[in-house]
Amino acid sequence: KAGVTQTPRYLIKTRGQQVTLSCSPISGHRSVSWYQQTPGQGLQFLFEYFSETQRNKGNFPGRFSGRQFSNSRSEMNVSTLELGDSALYLCASSGGRNYEQYFGPGTRLTVT
Amino acid sequence: QQPVQSPQAVILREGEDAVINCSSSKALYSVHWYRQKHGEAPVFLMILLKGGEQKGHEKISASFNEKKQQSSLYLTASQLSYSGTYFCGTGPSGNTGKLIFGQGTTLQVKP
């Protein structure tokens, strides 16, 4: 099976702009979770989507949003970008009974 | 609440053993372990569930003490390929993809 794919892999934006990141899960997986990874804060949970519904949400401001489509592909949107949003954004898909997660390669977002 | 991993970093020689601990102040349903190499995505190693223990692959195994709300990852006879940062992710409830990750333990295996 093909793994989790994320596009784009690298992105440079300026403060105040918005950005949309995409994630395609492993075929058959219905759960997609998003994480932000930074050197200072580590891996932080953003949200999880399951069957097009947000099932869990982390402690991030409303500028961070997401959605999931009927084919389980997911997008994450960040509006009004701030310098502190610079990070590696990882998505992970789950399909097993115990929700082991398989991560994509990530999108490296740099905000200048 | 974020689980606490210890130690923060460890340096080993090939063939040596290591233990990485993950402790939580909250009751756990599951503990997931991942390894991330520099510049790569985290890779799933194994999962431990409340009421059970599951071993992983190679010479890596783990335990889950529900009473202490703690999990330990055991790496025996370390290989160079074991180098990386190890994360534990705790699942507060079942049937969910939400994990709260520890801060990570950096493992370096030297020849």
Side-chain angles (χ1 to χ4, degrees), chain B residues 17-69:
Chain B
D17 301 339
V19 179
I20 300 172
N21 298 304
C22 174
S23 297
S24 174
S25 59
K26 288 191 169 185
L28 301 176
Y29 174 83
S30 64
V31 179
H32 302 224
W33 285 96
Y34 294 81
R35 177 172 61 210
Q36 184 177 30
K37 293 183 181 284
H38 184 70
E40 299 179 9
V43 173
F44 173 75
L45 292 176
M46 69 185 74
I47 181 172
L48 298 103
L49 302 176
K50 183 177 179 179
E53 175 183 324
Q54 184 168 331
K55 288 191 175 182
H57 57 90
E58 299 174 354
K59 295 177 182 176
I60 301 174
S61 62
S63 64
F64 183 15
N65 187 321
E66 294 169 35
K67 283 188 177 179
K68 291 185 178 180
Q69 292 161 191

Side-chain angles (χ1 to χ4, degrees), chain B residues 97-109:
Chain B
K98 176 179 179 179
L99 291 178
I100 307 301
F101 283 94
Q103 80 278 19
T105 295
T106 301
L107 178 75
Q108 184 180 3
V109 181

